[in-house]
């Protein structure tokens, strides 16, 4: 045998070492940067809000998986970096900072509550990053670093209030909500719309978030002489509210609860018989009877391995916003926040709820308002639907109209407020 | 007017239901059980599981929840509380940690989520407990609408208070408990098995929490974090009422409940809650040992 | 100085030096994170002073933390570009716009019924001043109610708990004044002597680290004074101290206020590092978690409680980033709490103490150590 010289040894071991190490080399993060595109996914996976936010996270991951199956974006696979906001604004702020500064992702998908969005907003504005926010909210925001894919008040209420007055023949509204910005702003819009339509509102009441003792409030509703309840109650208070409503003998056929937040999730939690006959206004309902939506629901149930899972509006927005994002990245040709933001303007997509489009001026989404009445099985029967999506107006409470936008590409026109 | 009072009574009865178990554990053993809220949650989840897996309504869930919560209480007592007797504030902390563990156990379905196994009725989602039909329909008596479910809770609470009173004052076991309350060392010297009695007392108090959970699940959402706010309310009732005093807890729950009910109807619930907090602060400031001072530990 | 004392001095010195050396090893994101944890360490010191030294279990420390935070945040909010661009003579916070009384002037004096309370906050020093003074005033009032009545033990815990929850409720409810649930976001940067403190710079980190060092040293000195010793005797047996002629409640109130001052200061630093103030600072869970940090670190050791707070938060951050444990980290923390309380009642500091005792005892078998005051 030939003597093993040092050179031979070094050469052979280098080759051997390279061979052994090569799988590691290809899976190391240096190589990853070329083959994968990282994005942030920031929702509450623990804590009180995880009940809803986990489904938003799952929908986002499902969209990413579907896009990856078709080849990803710009030839790369999308790698989601999942972070837990823990239902706490402080934690949201910290994780947002981590995703933007440490992980340097070009976009983060996240948030359900306005509190968490407000807590992370400075991060995206100061560091010039991009946030895709999928939840319906109160409007009054015009950040150039956020793409808002949930409904704004005009997409939930501008159709709703006139419809209640005309079709249900109601004249006296009792407005009730949870005590924070979203219900309060929604109440403002409600009051304007109610007065515009010639009806009146008799009360505007609030209960703490999470509060579940509704005895006194329902009694107030009874005593007020109203004929419709406009509910902006959020979270698990909803369940206690509807139950107490039913327990005190109130019926939806005489005194309906017309909600803006009660979705399939809350209905499942309260028991369908308590909500049967009440109404909710959303652009999306699980019961939308199109092939696209039914396939979406099935795919979602398979993805989360729960044949009874329900889909709801914020979940659907979490899903389609990723596709809008991916299209923007492809159009921009690069994955930087500024380029994506420019490219996302005007992006259109056929979402499960219908056709959606990102309004270039204010980075909100054109959505189709719908009204559903809940049946005894916990599903919404859609009884009113606009023929086409309508423009988002985040400042509608202050007089914004389609021809007089307050939030434009150049920024917010404060003189109009 | 009647309805306002009824609401106050109802709120008070729910407070008392939660606080009753605390009164026992704190009053008799001086143990601050911050996991009490989680035991209420366990009771609620027992009702959920009973409905889903056995298709039985809440009447069956009541004894099941009592046993389930009592069992967990026993485990907590054995493993944690027993080692901390005398260290009041440490039991507070340790049981807080236990509470977190119990919450996570439910959330993570006892760890099975990691193996992609799902037990229906557990997990992070909201769960539902149905109220039996006989209790759902309101009864009309003249001008007044009576809510059967809330009325049932009031009667159940009264029954449990009476049961507890009988247990404490009319049984040999109760005499032992009260002896230990006065002076555990002399009680031990008299031949009472202090450890065993304490364990059973803790279990009983925990069981009561479980029953409270079943009743509450009828009109509140069942979720893993539903218990935490209740331990605050429970403690305020117990401390305001006076440590270890059954009568004190009843009076304080009734008072705080009515206070809440009246202000909630007159103005709004937020103010009502703030007033309740304020009242607690004032009462403890005025009578530091609570309304009914029991010469206990 | 006895060996124990020397070791203690060394421990403090090493800790402070390490905190100052962090910028050498960490990127700016982690530095900001550690800055926030140093603030929590300061909270640990406050709890340790109140609980470990004074025997007062304050389950509502979040109240003082939140009070300090909101005061400075108010000033910083008025300094933010958005507030300055509302087209009026005075800066107007954005949330007041949508809370505005119909038809009111867009000016800080009159836009809502209570907005005039914000006027003095236009001067940053006022925010700092109130951030230190308000917690102390609150503590003074609360302390007088509690300690003059000789309330102790669990009753103190319940009162402080009820108080923090009450204030949290009020903060959330007074939306026109405090922006309620969302808290104060979109703040300007803190400025000192013309220098702006961007939270993601080394300078902000040093600001926090230096403040912590000052607080640590000052508090340690405070507890070694005669007042501090009296406090410890109150903790061990209040009645006996009373019989010895000391005005127990005055000492308790004083140290309760000092603890509140530290917590308020911590609140202000947190706002500087995190850029927002929120009612969640006054959550019950947060207040109790602070106590648990101190318990793990060692309630009777200022440095121990400080390190305990920092350590737990670092572990929490690291654990929750590993995907596998994202859902399980809370259970781990809960278990850790229980184990520490059961088996390490004096916390990590107690453990360190025992270890040094053993080492010293072995090395100096024949020498007698002078009793040290830890």
């Amino acid at each position: 045998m030939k003597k093993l010289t040092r050179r031979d040894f070094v050469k052979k071991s280098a080759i051997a070492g390279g061979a052994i190490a090569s799988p590691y080399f290809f899976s190391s993060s240096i190589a990853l940067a070329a083959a994968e595109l990282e994005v942030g996914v920031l929702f509450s996976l623990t804590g009180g809000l995880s009940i809803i936010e986990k489904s938003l996270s799952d929908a986002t991951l499902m969209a990413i998986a579907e896009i990856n199956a078709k080849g990803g974006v710009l030839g790369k696979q999308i790698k989601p970096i999942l972070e837990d906001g823990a239902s706490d604004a402080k934690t949201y702020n910290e994780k947002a900072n981590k995703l933007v500064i440490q992980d340097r992702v070009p976009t983060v998908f996240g948030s359900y509550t306005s509190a968490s969005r407000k807590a992370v907003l400075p991060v995206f504005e100061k560091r010039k990053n991009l946030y895709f926010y999928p939840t319906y909210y109160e409007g009054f925001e015009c950040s150039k670093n956020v793409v808002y894919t949930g409904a704004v008040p005009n997409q939930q209420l501008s159709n709703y209030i006139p419809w209640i007055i005309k079709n249900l023949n109601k004249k006296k509204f009792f407005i009730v909500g949870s005590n924070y910005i979203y219900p309060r702003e929604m109440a403002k819009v409600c009051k304007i719309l109610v007065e515009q339509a010639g009806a009146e509102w008799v009360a505007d009441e609030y209960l703490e978030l999470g509060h579940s003792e509704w005895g006194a409030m329902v009694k107030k509703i009874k005593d007020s002489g109203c004929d419709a309840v406009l509910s902006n109650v959020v979270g698990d208070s909803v369940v206690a509210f509807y139950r107490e409503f039913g327990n005190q003998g109130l019926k939806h056929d005489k005194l309906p609860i017309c909600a803006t937040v009660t979705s399939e999730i809350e209905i499942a939690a309260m028991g369908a018989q308590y909500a049967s006959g009440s109404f909710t206004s959303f652009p999306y309902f699980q019961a939308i009877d199109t092939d696209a939506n039914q396939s979406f629901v099935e795919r979602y149930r398979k993805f989360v391995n729960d044949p009874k899972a329900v889909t709801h509006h914020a979940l659907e927005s979490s899903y389609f916003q990723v596709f809008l994002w991916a299209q923007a990245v492809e159009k921009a040709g690069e994955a930087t926040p500024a380029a994506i933001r420019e490219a996302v303007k005007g992006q259109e997509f056929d979402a499960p709820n219908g056709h959606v489009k990102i309004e270039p001026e204010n980075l909100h989404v054109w959505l189709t308002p719908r009204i559903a009445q809940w049946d005894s099985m916990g599903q919404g029967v859609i009884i009113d639907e606009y023929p086409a999506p309508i423009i988002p107006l985040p400042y509608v409470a202050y007089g914004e109209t389609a021809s007089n936008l307050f939030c434009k590409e150049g920024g917010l026109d404060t003189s109009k407020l | 007017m009647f309805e306002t009072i009824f609401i106050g009574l109802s709120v008070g009865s729910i407070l008392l239901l939660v606080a009753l178990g605390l009164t026992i554990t704190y009053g008799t053993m001086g143990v601050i059980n911050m996991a009490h809220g989680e035991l209420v949650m366990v009771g609620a989840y027992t009702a959920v599981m009973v409905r889903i897996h056995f298709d039985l309504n809440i009447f069956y869930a009541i004894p099941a929840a009592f046993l389930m919560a009592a069992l967990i209480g026993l485990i907590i007592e054995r493993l944690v509380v027993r080692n901390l007797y005398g260290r009041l504030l440490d039991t507070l902390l340790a049981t807080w940690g236990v509470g977190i563990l119990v919450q996570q156990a439910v959330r993570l379905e006892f760890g099975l989520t990691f193996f992609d196994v799902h037990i229906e009725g557990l997990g992070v989602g909201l769960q539902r407990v149905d109220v039996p039909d006989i209790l759902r329909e309101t009864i009309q008596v003249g001008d007044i609408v009576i809510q059967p479910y809330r009325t049932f809770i009031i009667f159940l609470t009264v029954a449990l208070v009476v049961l507890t009173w009988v247990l404490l004052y009319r049984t040999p076991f109760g005499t032992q408990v009260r002896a230990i309350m006065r002076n555990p060392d002399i009680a031990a010297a008299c031949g009472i098995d202090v450890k065993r009695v304490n364990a059973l007392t803790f279990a009983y108090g925990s069981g009561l929490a479980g029953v409270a959970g079943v009743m509450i699940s009828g009109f509140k959402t069942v979720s893993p974090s539903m218990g935490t706010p209740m331990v605050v309310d429970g403690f305020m009732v117990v401390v305001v009422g006076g440590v270890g005093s059954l009568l004190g807890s009843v009076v304080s729950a009734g008072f705080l409940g009515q206070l809440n009910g009246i202000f909630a109807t007159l103005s709004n619930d937020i103010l009502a809650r703030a007033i309740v907090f304020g009242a607690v602060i004032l009462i403890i400031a005025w009578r530091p040992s609570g309304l009914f001072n029991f010469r206990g530990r | 100085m006895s060996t124990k004392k020397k070791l203690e001095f060394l421990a403090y010195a090493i800790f402070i030096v390490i905190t100052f050396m962090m910028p050498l090893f960490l990127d700016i994101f982690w530095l900001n994170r550690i800055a926030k944890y140093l603030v929590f360490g300061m909270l640990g010191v406050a709890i340790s002073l109140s609980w470990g030294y004074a025997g007062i279990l304050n389950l509502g420390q979040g109240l003082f933390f939140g009070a300090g935070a909101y005061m400075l945040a108010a000033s910083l909010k008025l300094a933010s570009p958005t507030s300055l661009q509302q087209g009026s003579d005075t800066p107007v916070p954005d949330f007041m716009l949508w809370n505005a009384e119909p038809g009111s002037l867009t000016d800080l004096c009159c836009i809502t019924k209570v907005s005039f309370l914000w006027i003095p906050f236009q001067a940053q020093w006022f925010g700092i001043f109130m951030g230190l003074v308000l917690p102390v005033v609150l503590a003074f009032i609360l302390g007088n109610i509690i300690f003059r009545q000789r309330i102790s033990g669990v009753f103190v815990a319940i009162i402080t708990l009820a108080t923090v929850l009450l204030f949290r409720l009020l903060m959330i409810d007074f939306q026109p004044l405090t922006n309620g649930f969302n808290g104060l976001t979109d703040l300007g940067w803190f400025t000192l002597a013309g220098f702006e403190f961007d939270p993601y710079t080394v300078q902000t980190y040093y600001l926090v680290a230096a403040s912590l060092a000052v607080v640590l040293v000052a508090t340690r000195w405070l507890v070694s004074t005669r007042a501090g010793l009296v406090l410890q005797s109150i903790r061990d047996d209040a009645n006996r101290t009373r019989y010895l002629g000391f005005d127990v409640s005055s000492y308790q109130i004083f140290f309760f206020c000092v603890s509140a001052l530290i917590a308020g200061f911590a609140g202000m630093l947190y706002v500087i590092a995190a850029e927002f103030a929120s009612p969640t600072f006054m959550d019950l869970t947060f207040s109790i978690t602070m106590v648990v940090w101190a318990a793990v670190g060692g309630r009777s050791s200022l440095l121990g409680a400080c390190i305990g707070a920092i350590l737990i938060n670092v572990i929490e951050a690291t654990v929750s980033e590993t995907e596998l444990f994202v859902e399980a980290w809370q259970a781990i923390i809960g278990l850790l709490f229980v184990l520490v309380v059961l088996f390490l009642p004096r916390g990590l500091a107690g453990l360190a103490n025992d270890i040094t005792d053993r080492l010293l005892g072995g090395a100096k078998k024949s020498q007698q150590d002078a009793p040290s005051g830890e």
Side-chain angles (χ1 to χ4, degrees):
Chain A
M1 188 145 68
K2 205 165 90 167
K3 206 164 122 187
L4 195 65
T5 64
R6 187 186 291 174
R7 187 179 288 179
D8 274 337
F9 178 74
V10 169
K11 202 161 41 155
K12 287 197 176 127
S13 42
I15 296 174
I20 296 171
S22 57
Y24 296 117
F25 180 78
F26 284 121
S27 63
S28 80
S29 40
I30 312 161
L32 271 186
E36 284 196 345
L37 179 55
E38 293 182 329
V39 293
V41 179
L42 180 58
F43 290 102
S44 298
L45 303 172
T46 56
L49 291 165
S50 64
I51 290 165
I52 301 222
E53 296 196 31
K54 183 129 192 341
S55 65
L56 304 184
S57 165
D58 289 334
T60 312
L61 294 176
M62 177 170 118
I64 292 178
E66 288 182 7
I67 296 176
N68 278 344
K70 297 213 182 96
V73 267
L74 298 179
K76 303 183 196 169
Q77 293 283 290
I78 309 173
K79 175 162 180 259
I81 302 185
L82 187 61
E83 288 294 346
D84 176 13
S87 309
D88 175 41
K90 293 193 305 291
T91 315
Y92 254 100
N93 178 283
E94 207 191 276
K95 300 293 170 145
N97 274 307
K98 180 219 174 240
L99 287 168
V100 168
I101 299 183
Q102 192 184 52
D103 299 327
R104 296 177 206 248
V105 295
T107 306
V108 178
F109 302 95
S111 272
Y112 177 67
T113 60
S114 284
S116 64
R117 187 189 75 250
K118 291 275 190 194
V120 302
L121 194 55
V123 177
F124 292 95
E125 294 196 324
K126 287 222 175 85
R127 310 292 156 184
K128 308 212 188 328
N129 205 289
L130 198 53
Y131 200 49
F132 271 67
Y133 176 64
T135 313
Y136 50 95
Y137 81 114
E138 67 281 0
F140 209 89
E141 218 177 84
C142 182
S143 173
K144 292 307 159 204
N145 298 85
V146 182
V147 177
Y148 309 81
T149 57
V152 279
N154 75 305
Q155 292 163 326
Q156 274 193 287
L157 292 173
S158 298
N159 59 325
Y160 206 23
I161 308 276
W163 184 88
I164 298 173
I165 295 175
K166 207 175 78 163
N167 292 57
L168 298 181
N169 221 350
K170 304 294 178 190
K171 296 270 179 304
K172 290 181 163 183
F173 287 80
F174 188 105
I175 307 177
V176 64
S178 299
N179 190 22
Y180 72 110
I181 180 175
Y182 172 77
R184 284 190 180 253
E185 281 294 281
M186 292 294 270
K188 255 199 214 163
V189 180
C190 286
K191 287 184 197 172
I192 294 174
L193 290 169
V194 163
E195 282 165 9
Q196 261 178 13
E200 64 169 306
W201 54 273
V202 295
D204 182 16
E205 297 277 346
Y206 299 93
L207 267 180
E208 221 186 325
L209 262 178
H211 188 93
S212 45
E213 181 45 74
W214 283 85
M217 186 64 81
V218 175
K219 178 176 181 316
K220 267 194 211 163
I221 292 177
K222 267 205 286 197
D223 294 341
S224 68
C226 65
D227 52 19
V229 176
L230 208 319
S231 161
N232 296 307
V233 179
V234 175
D236 44 327
S237 303
V238 174
V239 171
F241 176 35
Y242 280 62
R243 285 197 163 191
E244 182 65 24
F245 197 80
N247 286 344
Q248 283 203 26
L250 294 171
K251 303 252 184 266
H252 293 296
D253 49 7
K254 291 242 178 53
L255 180 57
I257 298 182
C258 305
T260 55
V261 179
T262 311
S263 74
E264 289 84 349
I265 289 200
E266 284 90 1
I267 308 265
M270 74 173 79
Q273 69 269 45
Y274 287 100
S276 174
S278 66
F279 302 89
T280 300
S281 166
F282 269 142
Y284 172 84
F285 290 99
Q286 183 176 331
I288 292 180
D289 196 8
T290 58
D291 287 336
N293 185 40
Q294 298 200 349
S295 150
F296 168 65
V297 175
E298 262 180 54
R299 292 195 318 265
Y300 178 72
R301 286 181 166 163
K302 212 160 127 216
F303 187 78
V304 294
N305 197 10
D306 179 4
K308 294 227 189 92
V310 292
T311 55
H312 52 104
H313 168 50
L315 189 157
E316 194 244 353
S317 294
S318 305
Y319 173 75
F320 74 65
Q321 70 176 6
V322 184
F323 287 91
L324 289 168
W325 172 86
Q327 285 173 200
V329 175
E330 289 282 358
K331 177 166 169 208
E334 61 177 281
T336 60
I340 301 175
R341 190 204 331 126
E342 283 313 301
V344 87
K345 293 178 184 174
Q347 283 294 338
E348 305 186 32
F349 182 69
D350 281 315
N353 83 74
H355 197 74
V356 296
K357 180 173 96 164
I358 297 202
E359 168 54 46
E361 294 280 359
N362 56 29
L363 295 180
H364 289 63
V365 145
W366 289 61
L367 292 167
T368 311
R370 290 181 173 87
I371 302 175
Q373 186 176 30
W374 300 102
D375 65 17
S376 52
M377 304 298 292
Q379 275 307 319
V381 176
I382 298 173
I383 48 181
D384 190 69
E385 185 175 338
Y386 270 35
I390 63 172
I391 187 171
L393 298 173
Y395 289 86
V396 72
Y398 302 87
E400 190 184 31
T401 60
S403 48
N404 181 18
L405 290 178
F406 288 15
C407 177
K408 301 175 86 151
E409 277 195 72
L412 175 63
D413 193 351
T414 51
S415 62
K416 295 192 181 160
L417 286 169
Chain B
M1 190 60 204
F2 169 80
E3 284 189 348
T4 315
I5 297 182
F6 179 75
I7 289 171
L9 213 56
S10 178
V11 172
S13 72
I14 294 164
L15 269 179
L16 184 58
L17 201 55
V18 173
L20 199 58
L22 269 177
T23 314
I24 307 294
T25 49
Y26 184 40
T28 60
M29 301 154 60
V31 167
I32 304 170
N33 184 9
M34 293 295 271
H36 194 83
E38 267 61 45
L39 290 167
V40 172
M41 185 260 294
V42 164
Y45 269 89
T46 313
V48 170
M49 301 296 265
V50 159
R51 171 182 72 86
I52 293 180
H53 297 282
F54 299 107
D55 211 15
L56 297 169
N57 66 27
I58 55 170
F59 293 120
Y60 294 93
I62 293 176
F66 182 88
L67 289 172
M68 194 69 206
L71 186 66
I72 296 183
L74 207 58
I75 296 175
I76 297 177
E77 202 271 339
R78 265 295 129 94
L79 290 182
V80 176
V81 175
R82 184 165 287 200
N83 300 316
L84 292 171
Y85 273 153
R87 289 158 58 189
L88 271 190
L89 301 176
D90 284 348
T91 46
L92 187 153
L93 293 179
T95 49
W96 174 261
V98 170
I100 296 179
L101 279 175
V102 171
Q103 232 194 82
Q104 289 307 110
V106 170
R107 230 191 224 115
L108 297 171
E109 301 170 59
F110 299 102
L112 292 176
T113 0
F114 284 120
F115 305 106
D116 253 343
V117 177
H118 288 279
I119 303 177
E120 207 196 320
L122 292 181
V124 298
L126 300 176
Q127 303 296 341
R128 193 181 84 235
V129 172
D130 293 323
V131 175
D133 286 327
I134 46 168
L135 289 179
R136 276 198 58 216
E137 290 306 312
T138 51
I139 303 170
Q140 197 89 12
V141 174
D143 238 358
I144 303 171
V145 173
I146 297 189
Q147 290 183 61
Y149 190 61
R150 284 186 185 261
T151 318
F152 177 68
I153 294 181
I154 295 178
F155 281 125
L156 183 69
T157 310
V158 170
L160 285 175
V161 171
V162 168
L163 176 71
T164 308
W165 184 86
V166 162
L167 190 70
L168 277 182
Y169 289 90
R170 288 281 180 269
T171 61
F173 178 75
T175 319
Q176 294 186 338
V177 172
R178 283 182 293 132
I180 296 175
M181 261 164 97
R182 301 275 170 153
N183 193 324
D185 294 323
I186 303 285
C190 288
I192 296 178
D193 186 350
V194 174
K195 286 209 173 111
R196 189 174 147 272
V197 172
N198 275 338
L200 288 175
T201 317
F202 197 88
Y204 178 69
S206 306
L208 288 178
V211 174
V214 174
M215 300 324 298
I216 289 176
S217 68
F219 61 88
K220 282 191 206 220
T221 344
V222 177
S223 73
S225 52
M226 69 186 280
T228 320
M230 293 187 198
V231 79
V232 174
D233 288 333
F235 262 111
M236 293 201 297
V237 167
V238 169
V239 171
V240 165
V243 178
S245 167
L246 196 55
L247 179 62
S249 290
V250 173
V251 169
S252 107
F255 172 65
L256 291 175
Q258 274 302 339
L259 201 62
N260 190 316
I262 292 175
F263 277 97
T265 320
L266 282 184
S267 64
N268 66 51
D269 290 75
I270 296 170
L271 192 65
R273 205 152 156 70
I275 289 182
V276 168
F277 283 132
V280 168
I281 296 171
L282 287 175
I283 293 178
I284 296 188
W286 163 58
R287 282 186 77 97
S289 318
L291 290 172
F292 293 84
N293 197 354
F294 194 138
R295 236 175 348 135
R297 251 177 236 208
Chain C
M1 243 201 292
S2 70
T3 327
K4 264 270 201 79
K5 270 251 167 79
K6 282 192 207 147
L7 282 176
E8 198 196 338
F9 178 75
L10 196 63
Y12 274 77
I14 293 179
F15 173 74
I16 293 178
V17 165
I18 291 182
T19 57
F20 273 82
M21 279 175 30
M22 284 287 110
L24 295 175
F25 306 111
L26 298 175
D27 65 53
I28 199 67
F29 168 73
W30 263 98
L31 261 191
N32 177 277
R33 228 185 201 176
I34 298 287
K36 290 183 195 147
Y37 299 159
L38 292 184
V39 170
F40 291 156
M42 202 180 283
L43 278 174
V45 172
I47 299 264
S48 167
L49 180 66
S50 164
W51 183 29
Y53 282 88
I56 304 166
L57 179 59
N58 184 355
L59 287 185
Q61 196 78 343
L63 172 62
F64 307 125
F65 180 72
Y70 264 87
M71 292 293 105
L72 184 60
S75 278
L76 293 182
K77 178 107 189 119
L78 291 177
S80 85
T82 338
S83 302
L84 293 166
Q85 283 163 6
Q86 296 301 347
S88 71
D89 294 326
T90 53
V92 177
D94 51 7
F95 70 87
M96 289 196 187
L97 287 174
W98 59 261
N99 271 306
E101 298 288 322
S104 63
L105 188 64
T106 307
D107 191 283
L108 201 52
C109 70
C110 332
I111 187 168
T112 67
K113 280 189 229 158
V114 288
S115 59
F116 66 89
L117 290 171
W118 277 66
I119 292 183
F121 286 95
Q122 288 172 72
Q124 194 186 259
W125 65 260
F126 186 77
I128 299 176
F129 175 71
M130 285 304 283
L132 293 172
V133 163
L134 183 64
V136 172
V137 166
L138 287 172
F140 187 72
I141 298 175
L142 200 59
N144 267 294
I145 296 177
I146 296 177
F147 301 117
R148 293 279 173 220
Q149 295 270 41
R150 304 200 182 174
I151 300 175
S152 66
V154 71
F155 295 98
V156 176
I158 297 290
I159 289 195
T160 51
L161 193 151
T163 314
V164 72
L165 289 177
L166 174 63
F167 274 84
R168 179 180 173 279
L169 198 64
L170 295 176
M171 282 304 243
I172 293 182
D173 200 36
F174 290 157
Q175 298 226 18
L177 190 64
T178 62
N179 198 19
F181 200 65
N182 282 3
L184 297 175
T185 56
D186 190 21
L187 309 176
W189 286 340
F190 176 67
T191 40
L192 198 62
F195 182 78
E196 273 193 335
F197 282 90
D198 177 342
Y200 286 89
T201 56
V202 156
Q203 288 83 358
T204 308
Y205 177 80
Y206 277 127
L207 177 67
V208 176
S211 307
L212 178 62
V214 165
V215 164
L216 262 177
V217 168
T219 318
R220 183 68 187 83
W221 167 80
L222 187 64
V223 299
S224 66
T225 60
R226 189 166 164 277
L229 291 175
V230 173
L231 188 71
Q232 291 174 66
S233 85
I234 294 174
R235 172 197 67 199
D236 292 335
D237 195 327
N239 273 327
R240 194 191 300 160
T241 320
R242 236 172 240 131
Y243 295 149
L244 286 170
F246 291 100
D247 183 1
V248 166
S249 42
S250 295
Y251 281 92
Q252 286 175 318
I253 295 174
F254 174 70
F255 280 95
F256 193 60
C257 291
V258 172
S259 170
L261 179 70
I262 300 175
F265 187 30
M268 295 199 297
L269 287 173
Y270 193 80
V271 165
I272 296 176
E275 299 183 278
F276 77 105
S278 134
T280 57
F281 293 179
M282 289 179 276
D283 271 351
L284 177 64
T285 323
F286 187 47
S287 285
I288 298 189
T289 309
M290 288 182 216
V291 173
V292 181
W293 295 336
V296 168
R299 71 193 78 158
S300 303
S301 159
L302 299 173
L303 186 62
C306 179
I307 294 181
I310 298 174
L311 205 60
I312 291 185
N313 278 284
V314 169
I315 297 177
E316 211 172 273
T318 331
V319 160
S320 70
E321 266 169 46
T322 327
E323 260 188 62
L324 201 57
F325 285 118
V326 154
E327 303 203 358
W329 61 261
Q330 268 217 316
I332 296 174
I333 301 287
L335 187 63
L336 185 71
F337 289 168
V338 177
L339 291 176
V340 162
V341 175
L342 276 178
F343 301 117
L344 274 183
R346 279 156 53 233
L348 292 172
L351 189 67
N353 222 335
D354 290 341
I355 293 178
T356 44
D357 272 348
R358 202 169 294 182
L359 290 174
L360 286 180
K364 299 186 177 180
K365 250 188 289 200
S366 47
Q367 268 187 318
Q368 253 186 344
D369 256 317
S372 60
E374 239 236 344

